[in-house]
Amino acid sequence: QVQLVESGGGLVQPGGSLRLSCVASGSVSSINTMGWYRQAPGKQRDMVARIGSGGSERYADSVKGRFTISRDNAENTVYLQMNTLKPEDTAVYYCNAGTRLTIYWGQGTQVTVSS
């Protein structure tokens, strides 16, 4: 019922910035929490940032102070502003949306931080 389309991934130098976006379509009124997860090769998928319907934010310790999650006015798009990027931030980043019944995932977008 919910489709998520991501954009904004790419190659960036250490210390640079990148902004990811995720547009939700379908039954967007049923979405409560939206967030971003990432998965590096050989590692599990971990939460990066989440934002609730009321605007409450949560961040992984590794990105706190560098990344900012936000939602647009219609609450159908979630953004991840990524600043002061480090090589260890390199991963596939996945958009996530949660409803009362299930969770949905985007297709993933590659973020590579390298000189």
Side-chain angles (χ1 to χ4, degrees), residues 3-73:
Q3 297 81 44
L4 304 173
V5 180
E6 305 169 351
S7 62
L11 176 65
V12 65
Q13 296 182 357
S17 297
L18 205 62
R19 188 190 188 211
L20 306 181
S21 63
C22 174
V23 179
S25 61
S27 301
V28 295
S29 62
S30 65
I31 296 174
N32 182 19
T33 300
M34 299 188 73
W36 290 94
Y37 291 67
R38 68 186 182 187
Q39 186 170 23
K43 297 184 178 180
Q44 68 178 29
R45 187 175 301 182
D46 293 326
M47 189 272 291
V48 177
R50 300 178 69 189
I51 184 167
S53 59
S56 60
E57 304 167 27
R58 292 177 55 223
Y59 298 92
D61 289 341
S62 59
V63 307
K64 194 172 300 181
R66 299 188 296 120
F67 292 8
T68 303
I69 190 170
S70 61
R71 303 173 76 160
D72 73 359
N73 293 331

Side-chain angles (χ1 to χ4, degrees), residues 91-110:
V92 178
Y93 284 70
Y94 297 90
C95 180
N96 167 275
T99 69
R100 290 182 59 195
L101 300 179
T102 189
I103 59 173
Y104 299 89
W105 295 95
Q107 78 283 0
T109 183
Q110 177 70 49

